[in-house]
Amino acid sequence: MRQQKQAGRNGTTGRNATAAATLRRVQVGNALSAFGSGFTVPYMFVYVDEVRGLGSMTAWLMFTVFALAALVVLPFSGRGIDRYGPRPVLIAGAVVSALGAFAFGHATGTPHILASAFLFGAGVTTVQPALATMIVRCSTPATRSHAFAMQFTLVNLGMGVGAMIGGQIVDVHHPSSLTLLFTIEALMFLVLGAVTGGVRIPAAPALPAVSTAAVDGAERRAPRSDLRTLLGDKAMISVCVLAALIFFTCYGQFESGVAAYGTSVVGISPAMLGFALGANTLAIVLLQMIVVRITARRRRSTAIAATGAVWLAAWAAAGVAGLIRSDAMFATVAMISVYVLFGVGEALLAPTLGPIVADLAPSRLLGSYNAAFALVKQLAVAMGPAAGVLLVGAGLSGPYLLVMVGCTVLIMVLALRLRRRLTPLQDNAVRSEHILEGTGGAVPTEGARLVPELQHAG
C-alpha cells in the first residue's frame, strides 16, 4: 500500500512538472503573439481610413467583418478542440492569423481589406479558445487563477511594448511602415504556432473513487447535443451575459468611446492619450500578482463585483474630467486616472472569468465552452466602439457616461446574483485541496462540480 501511495505521488509530481513546463511555453508564445499584435492594434482604423484612404465607413465595416468571422468560426473551432485537442486547432489558427495579417498589410482596396479582415479575425478568434483550453489543461483548480492572471499580465505587457515600438515605426504618410508592422505581426503568429505546436498536453488525472459513479451517471444523463448541453447550463448562460456586459462596458470602450471622449470632449492631446494607455498597462503589470494573492481566498463573484465598483470610480473620474476641462492639467490627470482605474479593475477580473468557465465546463466540452466565451467577448468588444463613438460623436457625452455608469452598476448586480448559480468551489468559496485529499490538487471539472453537491447530500 505504501509503495502504491508513493507511486501515485511520483505520478502526480511528474504530471505537474510536465504541465508546468508546457504552461511556460504556452505563456511565452502568448506573450510573443501579443507583442506582435501591439504593433498593429492601435493603428488598424488609421491604416484603413487614412493610409489606404478608404474612409471611416470602410474602417468600421472592417471591424464588423472581424466580429462576423468570430461568429462563423468559433462554433467549429470549439468542436475541433473537443475532438482533436487544442494543439492542432491552435496551429491552424496561428497560420490563418499570419496569412490574414500579412494580407491586411498589403491590401489596397476595400474588397481586399474586408477579405483580409475576415481571414485575420477567423485566425485570431480560433487561437483564443485553444490557448485558454491549454491553460486549463496545464493547471489545477488551485493554480488556475494564477495561470490566467499571468497570461493576462504577459499579454498586456507584450501589447504595451509592441505598441511603444510600433509607434516609433509608424508613419501615416508612408504605407510601407504599416506594411512592415503587419508583417511583423504575421511572423509573431508563426512564432506562436512554433512555440506551442510541440508542447505535450498532460493527460487529465483520473477522478477519485468517491465521485466516479456520480460522474458516469451525469455523463449518461447529459444531452447528446453539445449545444443543448451548453444552452441548458444556466450558470454558463449567466456568465456569458455578465461577460458580454463587461467586455462591452470596458474593453469595447477602451480605445474607442473613452478615447473619443478624452480627445473631443475633455481636449487632451493624442500624446497624452498614449501616455494614459501606457499607465493602464503599467497598473496591470504592477498590480496583477498582488491582486491574485488578495483574491486567492475570496469569492470570484465578489472580485467581479469589486471590478464593477472600481470601474464606477473610473466613469466618475471621466465625468469630472469633462467638468473641469478648462483646466487642462487637472483634466488630463483625471483622464489618466480613468485608464489607471480601468487597469485596476482588469487586474481584479483576470483571475476570475476564465477559471469560472473552466470549472463549469464538462471535460468533453471544454473547447466548446471556451469558444462560446470567446464568441461573446468578441461580439461585445465589436459592439462597444459603435455605441461609444456614435454617442460621443453626436455630442451626447453626458448620456454616454450615464449609459456606461448604468452598465457598470448592472455588472455589480449580476456578479452578486451569479453567486447563487455557482457551487462553492466554482466561486472559490471552498479551496479545492480542502475538498478532496490525495488527488494532487488536480480535479477534473466534473469532479469539481459534483463533489460539493455529494458532500452536501451526504
Side-chain angles (χ1 to χ4, degrees):
M1 182 64 69
R2 185 176 298 173
Q3 291 177 343
Q4 289 178 342
K5 289 183 177 179
Q6 184 62 40
R9 292 192 193 100
N10 292 339
T12 300
T13 302
R15 267 198 314 270
N16 291 343
T18 301
T22 299
L23 185 59
R24 282 194 294 271
R25 289 184 61 176
V26 171
Q27 301 283 36
V28 168
N30 201 6
L32 290 174
S33 67
F35 172 72
S37 296
F39 275 84
T40 63
V41 168
Y43 312 111
M44 291 182 72
F45 187 93
V46 173
Y47 173 74
V48 177
D49 181 22
E50 297 183 25
V51 176
R52 295 304 183 189
L54 299 177
S56 59
M57 184 60 68
T58 300
W60 286 119
L61 188 58
M62 176 265 298
F63 283 114
T64 302
V65 169
F66 198 93
L68 180 63
L71 186 63
V72 172
V73 170
L74 279 172
F76 298 99
S77 62
R79 286 199 291 269
I81 292 169
D82 292 332
R83 177 170 296 185
Y84 305 110
R87 186 171 57 182
V89 174
L90 187 141
I91 294 173
V95 171
V96 172
S97 299
L99 291 174
F102 185 80
F104 200 86
H106 289 80
T108 54
T110 298
H112 193 179
I113 284 283
L114 296 182
S116 301
F118 186 89
L119 192 65
F120 196 12
V124 170
T125 51
T126 298
V127 165
Q128 290 175 355
L131 280 170
T133 303
M134 283 185 167
I135 291 172
V136 172
R137 293 219 183 146
C138 295
S139 60
T140 69
T143 63
R144 194 159 293 147
S145 293
H146 184 276
F148 274 96
M150 180 59 71
Q151 179 208 27
F152 185 73
T153 302
L154 292 175
V155 165
N156 276 274
L157 183 60
M159 290 196 70
V161 174
M164 288 174 58
I165 298 175
Q168 306 305 311
I169 298 174
V170 65
D171 185 346
V172 295
H173 302 294
H174 294 85
S176 60
S177 67
L178 275 299
T179 299
L180 174 61
L181 295 185
F182 282 103
T183 302
I184 293 173
E185 182 177 22
L187 290 174
M188 288 298 102
F189 275 113
L190 293 179
V191 170
L192 170 65
V195 170
T196 58
V199 297
R200 293 178 57 193
I201 306 297
L207 279 170
V210 67
S211 62
T212 301
V215 173
D216 289 343
E219 287 289 345
R220 283 195 297 270
R221 292 192 299 271
R224 291 187 178 184
S225 167
D226 294 349
L227 182 61
R228 284 178 59 195
T229 301
L230 199 156
L231 294 178
D233 191 334
K234 293 181 180 179
M236 181 60 182
I237 297 300
S238 297
V239 169
C240 286
V241 171
L242 178 57
L245 197 59
I246 286 170
F247 289 113
F248 172 84
T249 306
C250 175
Y251 298 94
Q253 309 304 321
F254 196 66
E255 295 178 357
S256 56
V258 178
Y261 177 84
T263 54
S264 63
V265 177
V266 180
I268 67 171
S269 67
M272 281 294 105
L273 185 63
F275 184 79
L277 288 167
N280 171 269
T281 300
L282 183 63
I284 292 171
V285 172
L286 292 179
L287 294 176
Q288 186 64 84
M289 291 303 108
I290 299 173
V291 170
V292 168
R293 288 196 292 271
I294 294 173
T295 59
R297 296 188 178 276
R298 288 169 174 80
R299 287 180 178 268
R300 289 167 178 164
S301 56
T302 301
I304 298 173
T307 298
V310 173
W311 286 348
L312 195 60
W315 290 115
V320 170
L323 292 174
I324 62 171
R325 59 180 178 270
S326 57
D327 190 323
M329 184 182 73
F330 284 105
T332 300
V333 170
M335 280 306 300
I336 292 174
S337 71
V338 171
Y339 282 88
V340 171
L341 287 168
F342 271 131
V344 175
E346 290 173 80
L348 281 167
L349 194 66
T352 57
L353 282 178
I356 288 176
V357 173
D359 287 346
L360 286 173
S363 293
R364 65 186 180 88
L365 297 180
L366 182 57
S368 294
Y369 271 59
N370 280 325
F373 180 73
L375 176 60
V376 168
K377 172 183 175 181
Q378 196 65 42
L379 292 178
V381 170
M383 291 169 60
V389 173
L390 284 176
L391 285 173
V392 175
L396 301 173
S397 58
Y400 169 67
L401 292 181
L402 288 177
V403 169
M404 293 301 113
V405 166
C407 289
T408 306
V409 172
L410 189 55
I411 288 172
M412 299 166 65
V413 173
L414 293 180
L416 295 176
R417 290 185 62 183
L418 177 65
R419 180 177 299 176
R420 294 181 293 181
R421 294 199 179 276
L422 301 177
T423 66
L425 184 59
Q426 291 162 356
D427 201 23
N428 200 41
V430 179
R431 300 285 289 174
S432 58
E433 61 265 28
H434 294 160
I435 292 177
L436 291 175
E437 298 290 341
T439 63
V443 183
T445 51
E446 292 92 348
R449 301 180 69 175
L450 288 170
V451 171
E453 298 169 5
L454 291 174
Q455 287 192 333
H456 178 72

